[in-house]
Amino acid sequence: DVAKDVDESLVEKFLSEVDNIQIQENLRELTKVPHMATTAGDEQTVKFMLKRWQDPESGLDQAWREEYMVYLSFPDPKNPNSVTVVTPSDAVLHTVREKEKPYTADQEDPEVVQPYAAYSPAGHPRGKLVYANQGKPSDYELLNRTIDLNGTIAITRYGGAGRAAKAINAAPYGVIGVLVYTDPLDINDGLMSDINETYPHSWYLPPSGVERGSFKNHYGDMLTPYLAAKEETYRIPAKNVTGIPPIPIQPIGFEDAYILICKLGGEAAPSEWQGSFNCTYNLGGPGFKHTSTFNNSDVKLDIFNYEEIKSSANVMGVIRGSVEPDRYVIYGNHRDSWVHGAIDPSSGTSVMLELSRVLGKMVKQGKWRPRRSIIFGSWGAEEFGLIGSAEYTEQYFTKLSERTVAYINVDIAVFANATLRASGMPSVQNVIFTAAKQVNAPGLDSMSVYDNWIQYANKTSPAHGTIPRMGYLSGAGSDYAAFVHYLGITSMDISYTYDRSKTNARIYPAYHTAYDTFDYASKFIDPGFTSHQAIGRTAGNILIRLADSLVLPLNCSDYAESLEEYLKTATDLYQHQLKAKNISMEPLKHAVASFRRAASHLDKVIHSSDLANETPLKVRMINDQLMLLDRAFLNPLAFPDKYGYRHVIWASSSAGQPTFPGLADAYDKAESSGQSNDWDKVHYHLSVLSQAIDGAAHMLVDVI
Amino acid sequence: DVAKDVDESLVEKFLSEVDNIQIQENLRELTKVPHMATTAGDEQTVKFMLKRWQDPESGLDQAWREEYMVYLSFPDPKNPNSVTVVTPSDAVLHTVREKEKPYTADQEDPEVVQPYAAYSPAGHPRGKLVYANQGKPSDYELLNRTIDLNGTIAITRYGGAGRAAKAINAAPYGVIGVLVYTDPLDINDGLMSDINETYPHSWYLPPSGVERGSFKNHYGDMLTPYLAAKEETYRIPAKNVTGIPPIPIQPIGFEDAYILICKLGGEAAPSEWQGSFNCTYNLGGPGFKHTSTFNNSDVKLDIFNYEEIKSSANVMGVIRGSVEPDRYVIYGNHRDSWVHGAIDPSSGTSVMLELSRVLGKMVKQGKWRPRRSIIFGSWGAEEFGLIGSAEYTEQYFTKLSERTVAYINVDIAVFANATLRASGMPSVQNVIFTAAKQVNAPGLDSMSVYDNWIQYANKTSPAHGTIPRMGYLSGAGSDYAAFVHYLGITSMDISYTYDRSKTNARIYPAYHTAYDTFDYASKFIDPGFTSHQAIGRTAGNILIRLADSLVLPLNCSDYAESLEEYLKTATDLYQHQLKAKNISMEPLKHAVASFRRAASHLDKVIHSSDLANETPLKVRMINDQLMLLDRAFLNPLAFPDKYGYRHVIWASSSAGQPTFPGLADAYDKAESSGQSNDWDKVHYHLSVLSQAIDGAAHMLVDVI
Ligand SMILES: [Ca+2]
Ligand SMILES: [Ca+2]
Ligand SMILES: [Zn+2]
Ligand SMILES: [Zn+2]
Ligand SMILES: [Zn+2]
Ligand SMILES: [Zn+2]
């Protein structure tokens, strides 16, 4: 039936069938072995997904694997990376722990990869140690004022700067190697002892835990920018790759970092650089205190990482749409982990499998078929930089651009069990709210996810009053990046998360370590799996609404509200100075006003029409206006220096202002350089931005 | 009625109503005064178009003007450009004619612009004259072997190289000024005398006729690349503009060129350089023969051109679609001329006005409303480099990309009255053929335009046998450029043209001169205006079919045939050598084969379905597959050195091979440089190309 809308009784049925125990058992299966991208464990999860989705009982119409040949980086099991403290006569005074300390059998699995920094070059730097705080440009600059950094090794803590940046920022000062560790201050609310404070006694990170990660700035396969990484695809020479560490870098646990840092000589570091070790963090002499046992010793890194092009698989599953098969709602999550990845990403995969089970069952029973097609994506090699999802968007660029209604990303489904967290384009706020109101908050039978959420994060909207506060997808933190920034597809990212009054942890403490296991997840993150269930219900509810609504539940007036907020900030911050430079903000103001007018008008059309009795092409016309709105914000020339960023509203920004990212960055640069050429770039970006917003407004106004 | 298809009786009615006398009277009105872009005459034509289209009787739903502030170049009426022959003691021996010789009152209109090269810099170079043939790189190279070109003035003839290129190619050799003229060999089949051979005795160019033109390489407004040229839009500094003459250049008539060239000293030019003057074309001493009256004299250019940002208008008219208003068929033609522009462009404008009159009348009478929206565009400032149409596509990029079914360009409607000429994407071949079969060839009551056409230009198609030969839109010769190359919209360009057995003229001889008048057009190009009528009928028939067909009359299998031809040529020319360089053509072959398979399958779906009884969304799905096919061929990174070219199949190419343009050019470059870096670029482009064709195939296969 072409005029059918969402069936609320079906939504209810879906909600009632999403089962926490099923999710728990999915997770148990997915986390049996480590499943780092392209390993045997990864292949095991590919087979598991395919078995589930290709099962004729699954109700899915099709499922398949799709391979890309991608550029990865691994440590060498035969030559483990090592970090040692060595005397001038080469005596080894200390050796950093090679692998994490076992507390359960999981850590003893031989497939647990040694902690390493993916894309760190191999090398054997040896030098005096310095403490460089978070490895930000300002950190090295400060250090460089009093210390000659040439030939030194810098130890940094996670946070404040991207992983690769800690090494990229260091190299210009002559630093030859970098260590990075997780300070208990940043992850454990200061706690350090595995006798009674850390896992397995709590969710906190044990002293030997090490965060692994991809040390690269650009998302996607680095050898095949903007091209799907197939066998014969042209690859840029590896030596031309940018955005990776130019010098060796290695992550270590705070157990070892404590030993190194508390022996450092030199002046005391600034108070903001101090972590929670029970010693003063000194800058380094460079090197250790003369009074310490490490007096006069060097720190030596022996890094044996190697790069390899390997085949990584996405697993895809489809439920074909009944009325509009050529409109896609895509739901995705990566499959690869660093170790067992119980939370990252298998919590999300467990939820996706449960969601596809319940929806597929309704299809199989003949009770339902979505109006639009649903595509599930289990992405490969996300941990190495969102590679599987990015390659997918490169391969199917036009098809996905023209047909995708929305992308839902659920990577880590549950960080913690306090409240919903949602980020996305402003147009999806409304459908997230609708869904969240229909789901019970985990452990709170009489309160909805929505009512719980609004207690933890809220804001005042001119149109809606007090509402939960959503985030924006302005970075590249998970697989939504290529959908948002490269394709311009309306996207969202959903999870359950912390009570910030109870913890300051940067992220759940076992993140990217060998402790992110089923045992950890089921004991400390979500006992009973009810938060997983709540995410499954919320995300699935959203998915059904996007797939089944007669008129797409995307609200363009909420988009207008965000643009107006951005404009207000931009005007407050920049207008005065821009005027002095003879650069007018009027076109931007006009564009935002046009967008608002067009959005109000389209909303009126939607609400005043009896669309169920209209021709299906009239409804399609409106839906295309809503679907394609975000596409108008794309400009492949807007960010010449930012790989993969084309969406002028949500690109990443270093300016840290809640406003148009390219304008903020260009303004900051011009303000600091004072060069007229940089003010020209501000003017240029203003024109790009105004034209994009105008173009989006044109998509919303009457089609002729 | 959502299932209605083209009404053939309506097509017949349309054909019968297209009136040659109406077209003639449109032309008479449009050519009353010169209407160079942004002049008072141009404004007069804007008002005329608006009056016609805004008339409530017109049947159009809306018409308006749309202004852009664009960068133009003009001679200074108070300081006319001059070209003189001067002795060492500054005596003037000869002055080139300032304006064309009058034969009718038209040439005496004070608004006739002096012949000039738009975007030539002002300047006063003086030096010895040399003859540089067509001003190609190879021409200057040859000349440079025996002559020191430093400080010389080069005289070149039109043809062989772009206008601006003649000066751009010259400057590196130290040439300081360039003249360009039209040789009677190239335009007049050798005839020269205005006593009895040239206009007003025939269509041939009188001796004083001068081809004006835009001397710039990139299309669109040069100060606002990829941005609509609005008041406050960022403009690049004029000094950063590239693709324009770095040295002064001026066009002159062959009356003066004869005097200069036949007095040149030095060696005889090669035989291919000889034109049809009754003297030997020498290279120049440099300078004139010692035996001539110009012995020892210089040629001096005094160029007073200036650049100015002026407001140029497009005039737009719309007939709103009844069933699919959000699908556009765009029909366009520029409005601005160099002088009276009877043929270029007013022949096309006269046809467009007649077409809109007949269609609008059917709407007004309630007999018809197109299924899809029809947009008429009367573009401004085309003569300065396709500016109005390019700015339009920049301003409405996403809207036009997402909604435009096809673009029909009719610039010069009638070059001559022998046969139809049509260029376009291969997918439009079929609808052009269908229309051409239904229209009588002018002057041949018993023969169709199609049957006449096939006698003048034909080829053998594997699928269709002998058919008329269409061209491709691989250049930027008229306003289709931005639609094809920037937006990737399925486009065509249609006109009536020469019997090539009767003339070798580069183009109709009065092109861009003061002789392109109503008198000229009605006496020598199309007496009785029946070729205009045939173009109006053919183009209108195509327009109706694109607007009214239930299934879009775009044939993807014909596209496959062209890709296969291109692939065969590429394989023949490049495969052997590419193999030696370890570059595989297999991905390209697979992509073309996928495209063919997908096209065959979609054709089968179309022909085996009872689409009139299908849901409108099923039909729309197929139509979107057809409409968006060309969009998949776009890649904004495919041609980093070619401004505005994104369509990987139809971009311009210097290699001159009937195959994929980027591949051919990259291959030629690598073959000639031998550098591995250039072979890498071949491999890169092959990947870009294969991915684009694959992407297009993905648009055609089943949507899920
Ligand atoms: Ca890639
Ligand atoms: Ca422009
Ligand atoms: Zn993740
Ligand atoms: Zn992760
Ligand atoms: Zn023209
Ligand atoms: Zn022209």
Side-chain angles (χ1 to χ4, degrees), chain B residues 58-134:
Chain B
S58 74
L60 269 63
D61 296 296
Q62 224 185 322
W64 66 97
R65 62 189 295 159
E66 204 150 307
E67 307 274 340
Y68 300 97
M69 301 294 294
V70 303
Y71 185 66
L72 304 181
S73 161
F74 300 99
D76 181 354
K78 289 181 193 135
N79 290 299
N81 295 339
S82 82
V83 177
T84 48
V85 177
V86 288
T87 65
S89 56
D90 292 346
V92 174
L93 299 184
H94 180 76
T95 299
V96 162
R97 185 189 282 273
E98 186 184 319
K99 284 196 176 184
E100 285 133 328
K101 179 174 166 186
Y103 298 97
T104 73
D106 283 325
Q107 289 85 45
E108 299 188 277
D109 189 309
E111 292 302 312
V112 171
V113 72
Q114 186 197 13
Y116 75 112
Y119 305 107
S120 162
H124 306 275
R126 171 179 173 160
K128 296 282 180 274
L129 191 66
V130 296
Y131 173 57
N133 191 29
Q134 296 177 313

Side-chain angles (χ1 to χ4, degrees), chain A residues 221 224-229 391 394:
Chain A
D221 174 53
T224 59
Y226 303 117
L227 291 170
E391 298 307 309
E394 287 168 348

Side-chain angles (χ1 to χ4, degrees), chain B residues 79-403:
Chain B
N79 290 299
N81 295 339
S82 82
V83 177
T84 48
V85 177
V86 288
T87 65
S89 56
D90 292 346
V92 174
L93 299 184
H94 180 76
T95 299
V96 162
R97 185 189 282 273
E98 186 184 319
K99 284 196 176 184
E100 285 133 328
K101 179 174 166 186
Y103 298 97
T104 73
D106 283 325
Q107 289 85 45
E108 299 188 277
D109 189 309
E111 292 302 312
V112 171
V113 72
Q114 186 197 13
Y116 75 112
Y119 305 107
S120 162
H124 306 275
R126 171 179 173 160
K128 296 282 180 274
L129 191 66
V130 296
Y131 173 57
N133 191 29
Q134 296 177 313
K136 301 189 296 290
S138 59
D139 293 334
Y140 291 110
E141 198 194 297
L142 186 113
L143 211 51
N144 187 54
R145 282 187 215 156
T146 54
I147 302 172
D148 177 4
L149 295 174
N150 270 301
T152 59
I153 305 284
I155 183 165
T156 60
R157 58 186 172 119
Y158 272 119
R163 294 188 189 103
K166 292 173 197 288
I168 292 170
N169 299 337
Y173 292 98
V175 175
I176 56 173
V178 177
L179 297 174
V180 55
Y181 80 102
T182 307
D183 198 282
L185 178 71
D186 300 316
I187 202 86
N188 273 2
D189 296 314
L191 301 181
M192 288 185 60
S193 163
D194 74 338
I195 296 170
N196 53 9
E197 292 176 332
T198 62
Y199 178 77
H201 308 287
S202 76
W203 81 327
Y204 289 121
L205 183 67
S208 69
V210 185
E211 180 183 323
R212 295 153 184 80
S214 172
F215 284 61
K216 75 194 255 280
N217 288 341
H218 309 322
Y219 66 84
D221 174 53
M222 289 190 290
L223 300 189
T224 59
Y226 304 117
L227 292 169
K230 296 293 180 182
E231 186 93 34
E232 301 280 6
T233 301
Y234 173 71
R235 288 176 164 74
I236 61 173
K239 66 173 166 40
N240 293 356
V241 163
T242 59
I244 57 171
I247 52 177
I249 177 167
Q250 173 73 14
I252 63 175
F254 64 75
E255 174 186 48
D256 287 302
Y258 175 80
I259 292 168
L260 298 176
I261 287 177
C262 289
K263 289 193 185 341
L264 273 177
E267 289 176 41
S271 60
E272 322 83 68
W273 291 31
Q274 300 295 321
S276 61
F277 293 151
N278 59 357
C279 67
T280 298
Y281 291 52
N282 293 329
L283 298 177
F288 299 104
K289 285 182 208 161
H290 298 305
T291 56
S292 82
T293 51
F294 292 170
N295 171 32
N296 220 13
S297 293
D298 289 333
V299 168
K300 181 156 184 280
L301 276 62
D302 290 288
I303 307 300
F304 298 95
N305 296 346
Y306 64 96
E307 292 80 37
E308 191 176 4
I309 294 175
K310 292 192 76 180
S311 182
S312 168
N314 293 337
V315 179
M316 310 299 301
V318 161
I319 302 177
R320 194 174 199 276
S322 55
V323 178
E324 304 184 70
D326 57 339
R327 287 297 176 265
Y328 309 153
V329 183
I330 307 181
Y331 182 109
N333 160 232
H334 67 99
R335 194 189 55 256
D336 66 304
S337 56
W338 280 115
V339 193
H340 297 82
I343 294 301
D344 181 12
S346 302
S347 63
T349 312
S350 302
V351 166
M352 177 162 71
L353 279 170
E354 175 59 1
L355 221 148
S356 63
R357 181 190 69 80
V358 176
L359 295 177
K361 187 173 151 198
M362 299 195 296
V363 171
K364 184 72 189 173
Q365 292 174 338
K367 292 181 182 158
W368 177 69
R369 179 166 284 283
R371 178 184 183 84
R372 305 181 179 89
S373 296
I374 293 173
I375 300 178
F376 293 106
S378 171
W379 315 120
E382 189 266 6
E383 292 295 6
F384 288 84
L386 323 180
I387 296 179
S389 57
E391 297 307 309
Y392 175 72
T393 61
E394 287 167 348
Q395 182 170 8
Y396 298 104
F397 183 81
T398 303
K399 175 165 145 169
L400 295 175
S401 298
E402 299 296 352
R403 297 179 184 160

